[in-house]
């Protein structure tokens, strides 16, 4: 039908076009005395045949263009949208006889892990639960939850960035903001995951709890607030130990006494599988590393060749590095201020030692299959795969295990004392908390160290793989501008390596892995699975606005991109405002990162001011906040009168707070504001997007 319509339309257009051309060609231009042309028709001339040579020429020309258009032009490839329609969690709960749903808003996997733990706990109270990603379900059905007797929705909601919901909870968050649904009869509870070093601590969890109550929902238990700056898991355990008794009282149920340490996945060993069907580290599509297809994202990372890997510092016992990833032909686009996500691989030495300690063949092809056939999560990681691949690419074996891992593994310790200690550490008792803090956290024991220091502990490796959390991507602030480097993304990072209390050497997974991606002379280039995550950390829309950048250490990364972009803007002839950098490092002769480049930018007039605090080159330490106070009159004028934008990047726990305080004091001392007014003043700047932070703890 479509082609018939197109043909008919083309036929009408063709005839009109022929008539138009015939009319034009039947006119003569007569030169007038004033030099202008005037159109005169050839009226009175001998009539031409219906189809003259001119008509045939025009017809042939247009026919040829049409044939080219339909047959030979390059057709745009159709874009396939694989996004599925959201399913009904209500119907799924009814079908599988469940009365508890635990939704999670998770960016790094912790909220998802907590949700699964609550689902396992529900079995102890005769309730049947399911963990659910709000992105996969129609959350507007929440009001229907009351159709299920004795039902409850629990929300484990992490806060990401500057008070934002996680990516998978964004649509649910938007729905809460816009809906006026009546949630009367819907029972709920919320546990928030946040970090007190950030300005908007647990904003998403707080909003979810408040909004659900406003819509008429019945709060079963008080909002829980976990603080990752302290001990997030301890906060969660303390909350849920009070939460479940409140649930029992609310619904009139009692604990069944069943052990919540039940398996969620079963082991399937593949003895005769074609190895082309086995995952080797891919995040989504099988063989996606062999046949790369855009667009590239968290489920489909791009294998970027490492084109540059150089040490930045000239001395000292640390290793700071500048790495460049080649994104030519990837169609990846980025802006200065964005983040690059990198998928690291665990240390092969540690992986092998785990295999040796447990006495298993790491190259065995396996699948872990969910015992709950109705679950959307069929496997804990891409399957089928091998133990080696799982421990190398998919599982976090370097961090300190959470308490639930110790609890579930304790049953495999044959020594009664070791088993008792493991269960004690997993408990909420004061003695257990203290033991876990000293033996696991303070001593920084990872799963290998625990296996080595508890000789009687011999868990099945498949259960260990089920319990360990997923290895997460690492995010780095991009240290380049796409205006200057459209085909590469730059990373600035410090290699993490130190000795723990037990005498073991702790090595950061990603930074040590990146450090070893050396560029060789034989032409072979190491690759890094990566994708770009968009950020709100942006230069002002108007280049004429002044910018004040504060970034000590590797916090300078995004500002290298900003400065490159300001230089490019000047080259384009744009009016570029003052560009001021406050950088800090330990020693001028050791770790003054990008010294040559920064001094060249200053000589060229791109950097209006380069202020560097060398903290340990004198008896008393000098930090960036001290230099800010030193230039307080100039800074206040730029901020208050000249519409300057402030950017802070680096450590959230100390540096960002100290910089905050310095700006408050400047507003008080120079601007004449009270402390309360100063705090309010800079909060308004944040709201307006004139005070931006890219910080981590």
């Amino acid at each position: 039908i479509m082609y018939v319509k197109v043909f008919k339309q083309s036929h009408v257009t063709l005839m009109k076009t022929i008539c138009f051309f015939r009319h034009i060609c039947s006119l003569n231009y007569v030169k007038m005395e004033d030099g202008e042309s005037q159109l005169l028709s050839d009226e009175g001339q001998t009539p031409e045949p219906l189809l003259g040579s001119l008509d045939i020429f025009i017809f042939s020309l247009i026919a040829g263009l049409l044939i080219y258009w339909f047959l030979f032009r390059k057709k745009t490839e159709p874009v396939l949208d694989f996004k599925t329609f959201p399913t009904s969690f209500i119907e799924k709960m009814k079908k599988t006889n469940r009365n508890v749903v635990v939704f999670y808003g998770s960016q790094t996997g912790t909220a998802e892990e907590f949700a699964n733990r609550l689902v396992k706990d529900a079995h102890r109270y005769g309730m049947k639960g399911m963990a659910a990603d709000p992105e996969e379900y129609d959350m507007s059905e929440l009001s229907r939850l009351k159709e299920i007797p004795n039902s409850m929705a629990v929300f484990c909601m992490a806060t990401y960035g500057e008070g934002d919901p996680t990516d998978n909870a964004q649509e649910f968050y938007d729905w809460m903001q816009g809906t006026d649904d009546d949630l009367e009869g819907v029972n709920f509870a919320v546990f928030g995951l946040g970090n007190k070093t950030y300005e908007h601590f647990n904003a998403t969890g707080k909003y979810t709890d408040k909004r659900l109550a406003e819509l008429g929902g019945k709060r079963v238990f008080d909002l829980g607030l976990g603080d990752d700056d302290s001990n997030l898991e301890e906060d969660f355990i303390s909350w849920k130990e009070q939460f479940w008794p409140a649930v029992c009282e609310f619904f009139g149920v009692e604990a069944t006494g069943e052990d919540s340490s039940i398996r969620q996945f079963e082991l399937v060993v593949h003895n005769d599988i074609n190895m082309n069907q086995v995952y080797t580290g891919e995040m989504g599509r099988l063989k996606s590393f062999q046949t790369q297809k855009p667009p590239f994202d968290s489920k489909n990372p791009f294998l970027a060749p490492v084109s540059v890997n150089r040490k930045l510092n000239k001395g000292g016992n640390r290793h700071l590095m500048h790495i460049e990833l080649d994104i030519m032909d990837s169609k990846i686009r980025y802006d200065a201020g964005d983040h690059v996500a990198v998928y690291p691989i665990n240390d092969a030495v540690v992986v092998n030692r785990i295999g040796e300690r447990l006495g298993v063949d790491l190259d065995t092809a396996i699948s872990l299959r969910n015992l709950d056939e109705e679950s959307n999560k069929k496997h804990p990681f891409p399957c089928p795969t091998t133990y080696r691949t799982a421990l190398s690419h998919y599982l976090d074996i370097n961090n300190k295990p959470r308490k639930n891992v110790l609890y579930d593994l304790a049953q495999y310790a044959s020594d009664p004392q070791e088993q008792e200690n493991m269960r004690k550490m997993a408990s909420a008792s004061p003695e257990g908390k203290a033991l876990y803090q000293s033996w696991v956290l303070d001593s920084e024991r990872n799963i290998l160290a625990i296996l080595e220091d508890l000789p009687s502990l011999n868990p099945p490796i498949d259960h260990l793989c089920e319990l360990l959390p997923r290895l997460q991507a690492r995010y780095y602030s991009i240290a380049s501008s796409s205006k200057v480097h459209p085909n590469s993304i730059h990373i600035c990072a410090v290699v993490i390596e130190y000795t723990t209390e037990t005498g073991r050497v702790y090595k950061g997974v990603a930074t040590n892995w990146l450090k070893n991606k050396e560029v060789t002379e034989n032409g072979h280039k190491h690759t890094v699975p990566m994708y770009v995550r968009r950020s709100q950390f942006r230069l002002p829309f108007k280049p004429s606005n002044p910018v004040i950048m504060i970034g000590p250490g590797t916090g300078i990364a995004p500002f290298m991109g900003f400065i490159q972009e300001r230089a490019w803007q000047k080259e384009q002839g744009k009016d570029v405002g003052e560009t001021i950098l406050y950088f800090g490092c330990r020693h001028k002769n050791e770790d003054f990162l990008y010294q040559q480049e920064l001094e060249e930018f200053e000589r060229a007039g791109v950097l209006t001011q380069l202020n560097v605090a060398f903290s340990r080159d004198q008896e008393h330490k000098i930090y960036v906040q001290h230099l800010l106070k030193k230039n307080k009159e100039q800074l206040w004028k730029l901020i208050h009168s000249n519409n300057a934008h402030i950017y802070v990047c680096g450590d959230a726990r100390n540096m960002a707070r100290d910089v905050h305080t310095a700006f408050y004091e400047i507003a008080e001392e120079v601007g004449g504001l009270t402390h309360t007014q100063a705090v309010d003043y800079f909060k308004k700047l944040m709201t307006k997007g004139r005070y931006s932070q890219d910080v981590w703890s």
Side-chain angles (χ1 to χ4, degrees), residues 403-436:
K403 287 189 171 188
N404 68 301
V405 176
L406 298 182
Y407 180 84
D408 282 5
L409 292 181
Q411 60 185 304
Y412 302 115
S414 57
D415 184 306
Q417 187 61 51
E418 289 183 357
Q419 185 175 119
E420 181 186 344
N421 285 339
M422 291 183 73
R423 294 195 185 280
K424 186 184 294 181
M425 285 189 286
S427 73
S429 69
E431 186 182 359
K433 289 180 181 180
L435 184 59
Y436 179 76

Side-chain angles (χ1 to χ4, degrees), residues 325 340-344 472-476 491 513-514 528-530:
L325 304 178
V340 57
V342 168
Y343 283 106
Q472 299 295 323
R474 270 45 172 187
Y475 297 97
Y476 298 96
I491 294 174
W513 176 72
L514 285 171
V528 171
M530 53 74 67

